[in-house]
Amino acid sequence: MENKNLKNKYLSFNFTDSQKIMADVKDYIRKSECQELTIDLKSINVMDAAKIIVTTSAYHNKKYPQGKLICKTQSAIKSLISKTSTRNLEFII
């Protein structure tokens, strides 16, 4: 995992193992104060990115019910996930 800008709680990934990414994000949320968290999943395939976003959203919402998870991703993922009941998500295309 590569941390680009820790001040803004920005996480970016340079590998495509979705299980590893989810584990790293969960670990980061558990150990860090990150009411607002931005993750960059633009280089991940659509299905893996969707799985990561939904799982991470639920995990982040459990710790920070009023928090926000900002996802830098592809427009197809926003269309796919926007129909779910994830209140804390914001997308950057």
Side-chain angles (χ1 to χ4, degrees):
M1 178 172 58
E2 178 182 338
N3 291 326
K4 294 278 188 187
N5 185 344
L6 224 42
K7 180 180 177 191
N8 294 328
K9 308 295 185 217
Y10 176 74
L11 301 177
S12 180
F13 304 96
N14 58 3
F15 51 90
T16 58
D17 181 359
S18 63
Q19 298 291 36
K20 173 80 169 121
I21 292 171
M22 282 192 292
D24 284 354
V25 173
K26 284 182 176 181
D27 190 49
Y28 184 82
I29 292 169
R30 187 171 32 82
K31 292 179 179 178
S32 304
E33 187 64 34
C34 54
Q35 183 83 12
E36 184 173 296
L37 177 65
T38 302
I39 57 175
D40 184 346
L41 299 171
K42 289 185 292 190
S43 63
I44 310 292
N45 73 59
V46 173
M47 294 309 288
D48 282 340
K51 178 173 64 172
I52 292 165
I53 291 169
V54 171
T55 304
T56 302
S57 171
Y59 192 79
H60 188 265
N61 190 54
K62 183 177 177 182
K63 184 174 180 182
Y64 302 106
Q66 303 302 318
K68 186 186 308 184
L69 181 63
I70 303 165
C71 302
K72 293 183 178 186
T73 188
Q74 305 163 27
S75 61
I77 296 170
K78 180 180 179 181
S79 300
L80 180 68
I81 294 177
S82 64
K83 296 174 177 101
T84 64
S85 62
T86 49
R87 304 180 314 226
N88 63 337
L89 282 179
E90 182 178 310
F91 292 94
I92 300 172
I93 307 301

